[in-house]
Amino acid sequence: MTDTDWDKFFTTLESWQSRILSDETDDPSVTAIARKSGRDPWAVLVSTILSLRTKDAVTLASSVRLLAKAPTPKAILRLDEEETAMLAYPSGFYRTKAKNLRAIAMILLEHYDGKVPSDQKSLLALPGVGLKSANLILSEAFDLDAICVDIHVHRIANRRGWLRTDSPDASEAILREILPRVYWKKINKLLVMYGQRVCTPVSPRCSLCVLLEACARVGVDKSR
């Protein structure tokens, strides 16, 4: 489906979000860290890694705690792996994340003069960085046009009938073709919150949906 009125869709969604958000404390964790750090690429990368399979509140607390001790790649290597893991706790798979962050720091120091690369190919070569993470880093740290497709964006895009895909990565590829570039950086923040509060995975709150009129409701058997 490529005949979506994207301007109307995003204007409606932004209006909804402005009514829901009380202040910047409602920002997703990685966005909050990007804002607090002045878009520091290392801070954004650390928070992005910690955010995987972890709730925003936990990610934010773990990110702040770890970055206080390791504000640079060089600083994290002064910590041992156990200390790094404890600072990352209780984010999901915190020991694996600690190991990956230390490995990433070594790569950055050896190959990028300690700086986080600003291209997708280089980011994808880093341990623990997948397509969603790479695009989130490009968007939040470097303000580049990138579509970050997590499970919420993937689910809503399929539910609305924009595409038919089996994975977030496949959804990202199609969205790059059909979504106007001006909305690439906006879609994740807007749809993640909408997916958490209204267009939920099970029994979505269709009675509260401000976008229901043009929704195909693909796969929705039960709603509230």
Side-chain angles (χ1 to χ4, degrees), residues 133-164:
S133 297
N135 284 344
L136 186 56
I137 293 166
L138 291 174
S139 176
E140 293 287 5
F142 299 103
D143 199 26
L144 296 175
D145 292 331
I147 304 175
C148 179
V149 179
D150 73 343
I151 194 64
H152 296 291
V153 178
H154 168 67
R155 179 180 70 255
I156 294 173
N158 276 273
R159 187 173 279 172
R160 295 193 67 83
W162 296 341
L163 41 81
R164 296 286 189 274

PDB file of all heavy atoms in Angstrom, residues 133-164:
ATOM      1  N   SER A 133      19.614  -1.157  15.647  1.00  0.00           N
ATOM      2  CA  SER A 133      20.543  -0.400  16.492  1.00  0.00           C
ATOM      3  C   SER A 133      21.378   0.577  15.663  1.00  0.00           C
ATOM      4  O   SER A 133      21.574   1.731  16.056  1.00  0.00           O
ATOM      5  CB  SER A 133      21.467  -1.354  17.251  1.00  0.00           C
ATOM      6  OG  SER A 133      20.734  -2.178  18.135  1.00  0.00           O
ATOM      7  N   ALA A 134      21.877   0.109  14.517  1.00  0.00           N
ATOM      8  CA  ALA A 134      22.684   0.979  13.662  1.00  0.00           C
ATOM      9  C   ALA A 134      21.891   2.209  13.229  1.00  0.00           C
ATOM     10  O   ALA A 134      22.389   3.343  13.285  1.00  0.00           O
ATOM     11  CB  ALA A 134      23.175   0.203  12.443  1.00  0.00           C
ATOM     12  N   ASN A 135      20.656   1.992  12.815  1.00  0.00           N
ATOM     13  CA  ASN A 135      19.837   3.111  12.367  1.00  0.00           C
ATOM     14  C   ASN A 135      19.477   4.056  13.509  1.00  0.00           C
ATOM     15  O   ASN A 135      19.374   5.275  13.319  1.00  0.00           O
ATOM     16  CB  ASN A 135      18.571   2.595  11.686  1.00  0.00           C
ATOM     17  CG  ASN A 135      18.843   2.087  10.285  1.00  0.00           C
ATOM     18  OD1 ASN A 135      19.882   2.374   9.701  1.00  0.00           O
ATOM     19  ND2 ASN A 135      17.911   1.331   9.724  1.00  0.00           N
ATOM     20  N   LEU A 136      19.279   3.500  14.708  1.00  0.00           N
ATOM     21  CA  LEU A 136      18.983   4.350  15.858  1.00  0.00           C
ATOM     22  C   LEU A 136      20.184   5.234  16.199  1.00  0.00           C
ATOM     23  O   LEU A 136      20.033   6.422  16.500  1.00  0.00           O
ATOM     24  CB  LEU A 136      18.604   3.490  17.059  1.00  0.00           C
ATOM     25  CG  LEU A 136      18.115   4.222  18.316  1.00  0.00           C
ATOM     26  CD1 LEU A 136      16.921   5.108  18.000  1.00  0.00           C
ATOM     27  CD2 LEU A 136      17.766   3.224  19.409  1.00  0.00           C
ATOM     28  N   ILE A 137      21.375   4.664  16.120  1.00  0.00           N
ATOM     29  CA  ILE A 137      22.596   5.440  16.375  1.00  0.00           C
ATOM     30  C   ILE A 137      22.765   6.538  15.324  1.00  0.00           C
ATOM     31  O   ILE A 137      23.079   7.692  15.644  1.00  0.00           O
ATOM     32  CB  ILE A 137      23.828   4.517  16.396  1.00  0.00           C
ATOM     33  CG1 ILE A 137      23.762   3.573  17.610  1.00  0.00           C
ATOM     34  CG2 ILE A 137      25.125   5.331  16.437  1.00  0.00           C
ATOM     35  CD1 ILE A 137      24.728   2.407  17.542  1.00  0.00           C
ATOM     36  N   LEU A 138      22.546   6.196  14.061  1.00  0.00           N
ATOM     37  CA  LEU A 138      22.677   7.188  12.991  1.00  0.00           C
ATOM     38  C   LEU A 138      21.699   8.341  13.192  1.00  0.00           C
ATOM     39  O   LEU A 138      22.047   9.516  12.992  1.00  0.00           O
ATOM     40  CB  LEU A 138      22.422   6.527  11.630  1.00  0.00           C
ATOM     41  CG  LEU A 138      23.479   5.535  11.157  1.00  0.00           C
ATOM     42  CD1 LEU A 138      23.010   4.854   9.874  1.00  0.00           C
ATOM     43  CD2 LEU A 138      24.815   6.224  10.930  1.00  0.00           C
ATOM     44  N   SER A 139      20.475   8.005  13.610  1.00  0.00           N
ATOM     45  CA  SER A 139      19.448   9.020  13.786  1.00  0.00           C
ATOM     46  C   SER A 139      19.692   9.874  15.023  1.00  0.00           C
ATOM     47  O   SER A 139      19.690  11.109  14.963  1.00  0.00           O
ATOM     48  CB  SER A 139      18.076   8.343  13.876  1.00  0.00           C
ATOM     49  OG  SER A 139      17.060   9.279  14.147  1.00  0.00           O
ATOM     50  N   GLU A 140      19.920   9.224  16.173  1.00  0.00           N
ATOM     51  CA  GLU A 140      20.009   9.954  17.438  1.00  0.00           C
ATOM     52  C   GLU A 140      21.362  10.627  17.654  1.00  0.00           C
ATOM     53  O   GLU A 140      21.428  11.707  18.236  1.00  0.00           O
ATOM     54  CB  GLU A 140      19.714   9.006  18.606  1.00  0.00           C
ATOM     55  CG  GLU A 140      18.282   8.507  18.651  1.00  0.00           C
ATOM     56  CD  GLU A 140      17.293   9.582  19.088  1.00  0.00           C
ATOM     57  OE1 GLU A 140      17.695  10.748  19.269  1.00  0.00           O
ATOM     58  OE2 GLU A 140      16.106   9.265  19.253  1.00  0.00           O
ATOM     59  N   ALA A 141      22.438   9.994  17.203  1.00  0.00           N
ATOM     60  CA  ALA A 141      23.769  10.562  17.437  1.00  0.00           C
ATOM     61  C   ALA A 141      24.216  11.519  16.335  1.00  0.00           C
ATOM     62  O   ALA A 141      24.877  12.525  16.603  1.00  0.00           O
ATOM     63  CB  ALA A 141      24.797   9.439  17.591  1.00  0.00           C
ATOM     64  N   PHE A 142      23.843  11.193  15.100  1.00  0.00           N
ATOM     65  CA  PHE A 142      24.355  11.969  13.973  1.00  0.00           C
ATOM     66  C   PHE A 142      23.273  12.749  13.228  1.00  0.00           C
ATOM     67  O   PHE A 142      23.571  13.432  12.248  1.00  0.00           O
ATOM     68  CB  PHE A 142      25.087  11.035  13.009  1.00  0.00           C
ATOM     69  CG  PHE A 142      26.265  10.333  13.621  1.00  0.00           C
ATOM     70  CD1 PHE A 142      26.183   8.996  14.009  1.00  0.00           C
ATOM     71  CD2 PHE A 142      27.456  11.006  13.862  1.00  0.00           C
ATOM     72  CE1 PHE A 142      27.265   8.344  14.589  1.00  0.00           C
ATOM     73  CE2 PHE A 142      28.537  10.369  14.449  1.00  0.00           C
ATOM     74  CZ  PHE A 142      28.445   9.037  14.807  1.00  0.00           C
ATOM     75  N   ASP A 143      22.024  12.621  13.681  1.00  0.00           N
ATOM     76  CA  ASP A 143      20.905  13.336  13.069  1.00  0.00           C
ATOM     77  C   ASP A 143      20.779  13.025  11.577  1.00  0.00           C
ATOM     78  O   ASP A 143      20.408  13.895  10.771  1.00  0.00           O
ATOM     79  CB  ASP A 143      21.045  14.847  13.285  1.00  0.00           C
ATOM     80  CG  ASP A 143      19.725  15.587  13.100  1.00  0.00           C
ATOM     81  OD1 ASP A 143      18.666  14.964  13.299  1.00  0.00           O
ATOM     82  OD2 ASP A 143      19.763  16.782  12.734  1.00  0.00           O
ATOM     83  N   LEU A 144      21.097  11.783  11.206  1.00  0.00           N
ATOM     84  CA  LEU A 144      20.993  11.351   9.813  1.00  0.00           C
ATOM     85  C   LEU A 144      19.648  10.684   9.578  1.00  0.00           C
ATOM     86  O   LEU A 144      19.025  10.142  10.498  1.00  0.00           O
ATOM     87  CB  LEU A 144      22.124  10.372   9.483  1.00  0.00           C
ATOM     88  CG  LEU A 144      23.543  10.943   9.559  1.00  0.00           C
ATOM     89  CD1 LEU A 144      24.570   9.839   9.330  1.00  0.00           C
ATOM     90  CD2 LEU A 144      23.728  12.058   8.533  1.00  0.00           C
ATOM     91  N   ASP A 145      19.200  10.710   8.343  1.00  0.00           N
ATOM     92  CA  ASP A 145      17.940  10.063   7.997  1.00  0.00           C
ATOM     93  C   ASP A 145      18.114   8.551   8.050  1.00  0.00           C
ATOM     94  O   ASP A 145      18.904   7.974   7.294  1.00  0.00           O
ATOM     95  CB  ASP A 145      17.506  10.478   6.587  1.00  0.00           C
ATOM     96  CG  ASP A 145      17.115  11.945   6.509  1.00  0.00           C
ATOM     97  OD1 ASP A 145      16.654  12.466   7.535  1.00  0.00           O
ATOM     98  OD2 ASP A 145      17.272  12.549   5.434  1.00  0.00           O
ATOM     99  N   ALA A 146      17.397   7.913   8.949  1.00  0.00           N
ATOM    100  CA  ALA A 146      17.454   6.463   9.097  1.00  0.00           C
ATOM    101  C   ALA A 146      16.144   5.995   9.702  1.00  0.00           C
ATOM    102  O   ALA A 146      15.557   6.683  10.547  1.00  0.00           O
ATOM    103  CB  ALA A 146      18.622   6.050   9.995  1.00  0.00           C
ATOM    104  N   ILE A 147      15.671   4.838   9.265  1.00  0.00           N
ATOM    105  CA  ILE A 147      14.413   4.292   9.772  1.00  0.00           C
ATOM    106  C   ILE A 147      14.728   3.196  10.777  1.00  0.00           C
ATOM    107  O   ILE A 147      15.227   2.131  10.418  1.00  0.00           O
ATOM    108  CB  ILE A 147      13.552   3.719   8.634  1.00  0.00           C
ATOM    109  CG1 ILE A 147      13.298   4.781   7.556  1.00  0.00           C
ATOM    110  CG2 ILE A 147      12.228   3.207   9.188  1.00  0.00           C
ATOM    111  CD1 ILE A 147      12.551   4.253   6.347  1.00  0.00           C
ATOM    112  N   CYS A 148      14.439   3.474  12.022  1.00  0.00           N
ATOM    113  CA  CYS A 148      14.669   2.484  13.074  1.00  0.00           C
ATOM    114  C   CYS A 148      13.392   1.668  13.260  1.00  0.00           C
ATOM    115  O   CYS A 148      12.389   2.180  13.764  1.00  0.00           O
ATOM    116  CB  CYS A 148      15.054   3.189  14.372  1.00  0.00           C
ATOM    117  SG  CYS A 148      15.335   2.058  15.729  1.00  0.00           S
ATOM    118  N   VAL A 149      13.426   0.414  12.845  1.00  0.00           N
ATOM    119  CA  VAL A 149      12.238  -0.442  12.902  1.00  0.00           C
ATOM    120  C   VAL A 149      12.384  -1.468  14.013  1.00  0.00           C
ATOM    121  O   VAL A 149      13.142  -2.433  13.895  1.00  0.00           O
ATOM    122  CB  VAL A 149      11.997  -1.151  11.549  1.00  0.00           C
ATOM    123  CG1 VAL A 149      10.759  -2.054  11.635  1.00  0.00           C
ATOM    124  CG2 VAL A 149      11.831  -0.129  10.434  1.00  0.00           C
ATOM    125  N   ASP A 150      11.666  -1.236  15.100  1.00  0.00           N
ATOM    126  CA  ASP A 150      11.617  -2.232  16.169  1.00  0.00           C
ATOM    127  C   ASP A 150      10.326  -3.026  16.022  1.00  0.00           C
ATOM    128  O   ASP A 150       9.616  -2.910  15.017  1.00  0.00           O
ATOM    129  CB  ASP A 150      11.731  -1.566  17.540  1.00  0.00           C
ATOM    130  CG  ASP A 150      10.455  -0.829  17.933  1.00  0.00           C
ATOM    131  OD1 ASP A 150       9.608  -0.554  17.045  1.00  0.00           O
ATOM    132  OD2 ASP A 150      10.298  -0.544  19.129  1.00  0.00           O
ATOM    133  N   ILE A 151       9.989  -3.814  17.028  1.00  0.00           N
ATOM    134  CA  ILE A 151       8.832  -4.698  16.914  1.00  0.00           C
ATOM    135  C   ILE A 151       7.528  -3.905  16.837  1.00  0.00           C
ATOM    136  O   ILE A 151       6.564  -4.335  16.200  1.00  0.00           O
ATOM    137  CB  ILE A 151       8.798  -5.707  18.097  1.00  0.00           C
ATOM    138  CG1 ILE A 151       7.818  -6.844  17.801  1.00  0.00           C
ATOM    139  CG2 ILE A 151       8.492  -5.009  19.404  1.00  0.00           C
ATOM    140  CD1 ILE A 151       8.206  -7.692  16.612  1.00  0.00           C
ATOM    141  N   HIS A 152       7.473  -2.718  17.476  1.00  0.00           N
ATOM    142  CA  HIS A 152       6.259  -1.902  17.418  1.00  0.00           C
ATOM    143  C   HIS A 152       6.041  -1.336  16.016  1.00  0.00           C
ATOM    144  O   HIS A 152       4.928  -1.402  15.472  1.00  0.00           O
ATOM    145  CB  HIS A 152       6.333  -0.755  18.429  1.00  0.00           C
ATOM    146  CG  HIS A 152       6.370  -1.199  19.846  1.00  0.00           C
ATOM    147  ND1 HIS A 152       5.296  -1.778  20.484  1.00  0.00           N
ATOM    148  CD2 HIS A 152       7.356  -1.156  20.776  1.00  0.00           C
ATOM    149  CE1 HIS A 152       5.605  -2.061  21.726  1.00  0.00           C
ATOM    150  NE2 HIS A 152       6.858  -1.700  21.931  1.00  0.00           N
ATOM    151  N   VAL A 153       7.086  -0.763  15.432  1.00  0.00           N
ATOM    152  CA  VAL A 153       6.984  -0.215  14.075  1.00  0.00           C
ATOM    153  C   VAL A 153       6.635  -1.335  13.091  1.00  0.00           C
ATOM    154  O   VAL A 153       5.761  -1.171  12.226  1.00  0.00           O
ATOM    155  CB  VAL A 153       8.293   0.480  13.660  1.00  0.00           C
ATOM    156  CG1 VAL A 153       8.194   0.993  12.225  1.00  0.00           C
ATOM    157  CG2 VAL A 153       8.617   1.629  14.611  1.00  0.00           C
ATOM    158  N   HIS A 154       7.286  -2.461  13.230  1.00  0.00           N
ATOM    159  CA  HIS A 154       7.028  -3.622  12.364  1.00  0.00           C
ATOM    160  C   HIS A 154       5.569  -4.066  12.475  1.00  0.00           C
ATOM    161  O   HIS A 154       4.895  -4.284  11.461  1.00  0.00           O
ATOM    162  CB  HIS A 154       7.976  -4.757  12.769  1.00  0.00           C
ATOM    163  CG  HIS A 154       7.654  -6.091  12.174  1.00  0.00           C
ATOM    164  ND1 HIS A 154       7.753  -6.350  10.825  1.00  0.00           N
ATOM    165  CD2 HIS A 154       7.226  -7.258  12.762  1.00  0.00           C
ATOM    166  CE1 HIS A 154       7.419  -7.619  10.595  1.00  0.00           C
ATOM    167  NE2 HIS A 154       7.085  -8.171  11.748  1.00  0.00           N
ATOM    168  N   ARG A 155       5.070  -4.192  13.704  1.00  0.00           N
ATOM    169  CA  ARG A 155       3.706  -4.671  13.921  1.00  0.00           C
ATOM    170  C   ARG A 155       2.675  -3.692  13.363  1.00  0.00           C
ATOM    171  O   ARG A 155       1.739  -4.093  12.642  1.00  0.00           O
ATOM    172  CB  ARG A 155       3.450  -4.870  15.417  1.00  0.00           C
ATOM    173  CG  ARG A 155       2.042  -5.357  15.742  1.00  0.00           C
ATOM    174  CD  ARG A 155       1.826  -5.538  17.224  1.00  0.00           C
ATOM    175  NE  ARG A 155       1.780  -4.295  17.976  1.00  0.00           N
ATOM    176  CZ  ARG A 155       2.777  -3.854  18.746  1.00  0.00           C
ATOM    177  NH1 ARG A 155       3.891  -4.540  18.870  1.00  0.00           N
ATOM    178  NH2 ARG A 155       2.666  -2.707  19.396  1.00  0.00           N
ATOM    179  N   ILE A 156       2.842  -2.416  13.668  1.00  0.00           N
ATOM    180  CA  ILE A 156       1.854  -1.421  13.231  1.00  0.00           C
ATOM    181  C   ILE A 156       1.864  -1.259  11.715  1.00  0.00           C
ATOM    182  O   ILE A 156       0.809  -1.119  11.085  1.00  0.00           O
ATOM    183  CB  ILE A 156       2.095  -0.087  13.948  1.00  0.00           C
ATOM    184  CG1 ILE A 156       1.830  -0.252  15.455  1.00  0.00           C
ATOM    185  CG2 ILE A 156       1.201   1.010  13.368  1.00  0.00           C
ATOM    186  CD1 ILE A 156       2.206   0.954  16.293  1.00  0.00           C
ATOM    187  N   ALA A 157       3.051  -1.288  11.114  1.00  0.00           N
ATOM    188  CA  ALA A 157       3.139  -1.164   9.652  1.00  0.00           C
ATOM    189  C   ALA A 157       2.407  -2.309   8.967  1.00  0.00           C
ATOM    190  O   ALA A 157       1.706  -2.104   7.958  1.00  0.00           O
ATOM    191  CB  ALA A 157       4.602  -1.134   9.211  1.00  0.00           C
ATOM    192  N   ASN A 158       2.543  -3.510   9.509  1.00  0.00           N
ATOM    193  CA  ASN A 158       1.823  -4.660   8.949  1.00  0.00           C
ATOM    194  C   ASN A 158       0.336  -4.590   9.263  1.00  0.00           C
ATOM    195  O   ASN A 158      -0.511  -4.898   8.418  1.00  0.00           O
ATOM    196  CB  ASN A 158       2.414  -5.965   9.494  1.00  0.00           C
ATOM    197  CG  ASN A 158       3.628  -6.431   8.713  1.00  0.00           C
ATOM    198  OD1 ASN A 158       3.525  -7.132   7.727  1.00  0.00           O
ATOM    199  ND2 ASN A 158       4.804  -5.997   9.158  1.00  0.00           N
ATOM    200  N   ARG A 159       0.001  -4.190  10.471  1.00  0.00           N
ATOM    201  CA  ARG A 159      -1.410  -4.116  10.888  1.00  0.00           C
ATOM    202  C   ARG A 159      -2.181  -3.103  10.052  1.00  0.00           C
ATOM    203  O   ARG A 159      -3.358  -3.310   9.724  1.00  0.00           O
ATOM    204  CB  ARG A 159      -1.474  -3.759  12.372  1.00  0.00           C
ATOM    205  CG  ARG A 159      -2.854  -3.806  12.985  1.00  0.00           C
ATOM    206  CD  ARG A 159      -2.764  -3.602  14.491  1.00  0.00           C
ATOM    207  NE  ARG A 159      -2.408  -4.849  15.170  1.00  0.00           N
ATOM    208  CZ  ARG A 159      -2.103  -4.936  16.470  1.00  0.00           C
ATOM    209  NH1 ARG A 159      -2.111  -3.839  17.224  1.00  0.00           N
ATOM    210  NH2 ARG A 159      -1.807  -6.097  17.018  1.00  0.00           N
ATOM    211  N   ARG A 160      -1.537  -2.010   9.691  1.00  0.00           N
ATOM    212  CA  ARG A 160      -2.200  -0.983   8.886  1.00  0.00           C
ATOM    213  C   ARG A 160      -2.273  -1.350   7.411  1.00  0.00           C
ATOM    214  O   ARG A 160      -2.934  -0.675   6.626  1.00  0.00           O
ATOM    215  CB  ARG A 160      -1.496   0.364   9.056  1.00  0.00           C
ATOM    216  CG  ARG A 160      -1.592   0.920  10.473  1.00  0.00           C
ATOM    217  CD  ARG A 160      -1.167   2.364  10.535  1.00  0.00           C
ATOM    218  NE  ARG A 160      -2.097   3.227   9.817  1.00  0.00           N
ATOM    219  CZ  ARG A 160      -3.236   3.686  10.331  1.00  0.00           C
ATOM    220  NH1 ARG A 160      -3.600   3.354  11.550  1.00  0.00           N
ATOM    221  NH2 ARG A 160      -4.022   4.479   9.609  1.00  0.00           N
ATOM    222  N   GLY A 161      -1.559  -2.399   7.007  1.00  0.00           N
ATOM    223  CA  GLY A 161      -1.602  -2.845   5.624  1.00  0.00           C
ATOM    224  C   GLY A 161      -0.628  -2.151   4.708  1.00  0.00           C
ATOM    225  O   GLY A 161      -0.735  -2.233   3.486  1.00  0.00           O
ATOM    226  N   TRP A 162       0.360  -1.453   5.295  1.00  0.00           N
ATOM    227  CA  TRP A 162       1.363  -0.802   4.463  1.00  0.00           C
ATOM    228  C   TRP A 162       2.248  -1.822   3.758  1.00  0.00           C
ATOM    229  O   TRP A 162       2.787  -1.563   2.687  1.00  0.00           O
ATOM    230  CB  TRP A 162       2.265   0.094   5.310  1.00  0.00           C
ATOM    231  CG  TRP A 162       1.598   1.249   5.957  1.00  0.00           C
ATOM    232  CD1 TRP A 162       0.386   1.806   5.617  1.00  0.00           C
ATOM    233  CD2 TRP A 162       2.101   2.012   7.061  1.00  0.00           C
ATOM    234  NE1 TRP A 162       0.113   2.866   6.445  1.00  0.00           N
ATOM    235  CE2 TRP A 162       1.134   3.018   7.343  1.00  0.00           C
ATOM    236  CE3 TRP A 162       3.258   1.944   7.827  1.00  0.00           C
ATOM    237  CZ2 TRP A 162       1.311   3.938   8.362  1.00  0.00           C
ATOM    238  CZ3 TRP A 162       3.438   2.862   8.844  1.00  0.00           C
ATOM    239  CH2 TRP A 162       2.482   3.851   9.110  1.00  0.00           C
ATOM    240  N   LEU A 163       2.442  -2.963   4.390  1.00  0.00           N
ATOM    241  CA  LEU A 163       3.355  -3.979   3.875  1.00  0.00           C
ATOM    242  C   LEU A 163       2.971  -5.333   4.451  1.00  0.00           C
ATOM    243  O   LEU A 163       2.103  -5.428   5.326  1.00  0.00           O
ATOM    244  CB  LEU A 163       4.816  -3.613   4.238  1.00  0.00           C
ATOM    245  CG  LEU A 163       5.071  -3.039   5.648  1.00  0.00           C
ATOM    246  CD1 LEU A 163       5.142  -4.143   6.671  1.00  0.00           C
ATOM    247  CD2 LEU A 163       6.357  -2.217   5.660  1.00  0.00           C
ATOM    248  N   ARG A 164       3.612  -6.372   3.964  1.00  0.00           N
ATOM    249  CA  ARG A 164       3.416  -7.726   4.479  1.00  0.00           C
ATOM    250  C   ARG A 164       4.811  -8.343   4.654  1.00  0.00           C
ATOM    251  O   ARG A 164       5.436  -8.773   3.682  1.00  0.00           O
ATOM    252  CB  ARG A 164       2.609  -8.590   3.502  1.00  0.00           C
ATOM    253  CG  ARG A 164       1.179  -8.127   3.270  1.00  0.00           C
ATOM    254  CD  ARG A 164       0.284  -8.443   4.455  1.00  0.00           C
ATOM    255  NE  ARG A 164      -1.115  -8.200   4.139  1.00  0.00           N
ATOM    256  CZ  ARG A 164      -1.726  -7.028   4.244  1.00  0.00           C
ATOM    257  NH1 ARG A 164      -1.025  -5.976   4.656  1.00  0.00           N
ATOM    258  NH2 ARG A 164      -3.004  -6.879   3.946  1.00  0.00           N
TER     259      ARG A 164
END
